Amino acid sequence: MTWLIVGLVLFLGVHSVSIVSPQGRHALAGRMGEGGYKGAYALVSFVGLALIVWGYSLARQAPVLLYTPPTGLRHLALLLMLPVFVLLFAAYLPGRIQRVAKHPMLLAVKCWALAHLLANGTLADVLLFGGFLAWAVADRISVKRRAAAGLLRSPPALPGSTANDAIALVGGLAVYLLFVYWAHAWLFGVRPMGG
């Protein structure tokens, strides 16, 4: 469990610099240089993610059960996961989906984390998915506050297109089906549809 916690602290911590101190990211980038800051950010993120994966796999070997989700919640989790990959695609493909979701990546993380909290009840699950859910909610609130205060540097808006929405929808649903019927079991040893 220790490695999972250390990984979460590193990964979510580096992703929370702007939440904790909106000016902090700009100050750090100013001192380190933009390239140096991005390099350090990427390195800490990678190490944190590796520790999360390793720590979670170790914690699954001796699970501490907190609650047993009823079957109905597992079905709800599958439904909540349906838009996740569509939103992840839409985060990089300007279009109506991106515009309506406003922050599709954060919305995808929230849906993913909540779905997994509904379907899993071990301490490691609560730490992992609860940590990501709390971070995504805090980051969304922070984004609103930073935008209102004029502290958010947004990249220039790219023109949206219906084609991008179609790619996000078709690609996202295809990846969802791939995960539900094969990749989730292959990567994590758990079949979302049972069996």
Side-chain angles (χ1 to χ4, degrees):
M1 203 70 70
T2 303
W3 293 116
L4 173 60
I5 293 168
V6 171
L8 286 167
V9 168
L10 287 174
F11 188 85
L12 296 178
V14 77
H15 283 81
S16 299
V17 172
S18 294
I19 296 172
V20 176
S21 172
Q23 298 288 0
R25 187 253 184 242
H26 303 302
L28 278 171
R31 273 183 285 197
M32 299 171 74
E34 194 65 33
Y37 176 82
K38 287 182 177 177
Y41 183 95
L43 180 63
V44 173
S45 294
F46 177 77
V47 170
L49 186 60
L51 289 175
I52 288 170
V53 171
W54 186 45
Y56 185 73
S57 68
L58 290 175
R60 287 180 61 198
Q61 293 173 16
V64 176
L65 189 64
L66 298 179
Y67 58 90
T68 304
T71 305
L73 287 183
R74 292 195 171 122
H75 295 288
L76 181 57
L78 282 169
L79 190 60
L80 273 171
M81 284 299 296
L82 197 56
V84 168
F85 293 106
V86 174
L87 290 165
L88 289 176
F89 273 69
Y92 299 99
L93 297 166
R96 188 158 193 245
I97 297 171
Q98 187 185 81
R99 192 169 55 254
V100 169
K102 293 186 181 168
H103 298 280
M105 182 77 71
L106 289 176
L107 186 54
V109 171
K110 286 188 234 178
C111 290
W112 168 80
L114 180 58
H116 284 79
L117 282 171
L118 293 176
N120 301 285
T122 70
L123 178 59
D125 296 318
V126 170
L127 289 172
L128 175 61
F129 303 116
F132 271 90
L133 181 58
W135 169 81
V137 169
D139 197 35
R140 183 65 181 102
I141 293 166
S142 173
V143 165
K144 282 183 185 178
R145 288 185 179 156
R146 285 181 281 154
L151 299 172
L152 196 61
R153 293 182 190 170
S154 298
L158 299 172
S161 74
T162 308
N164 283 349
D165 287 333
I167 293 167
L169 191 60
V170 172
L173 292 176
V175 173
Y176 170 81
L177 292 172
L178 180 70
F179 257 80
V180 166
Y181 290 105
W182 179 74
H184 200 278
W186 182 69
L187 289 168
F188 309 111
V190 177
R191 295 184 182 281
M193 299 292 275

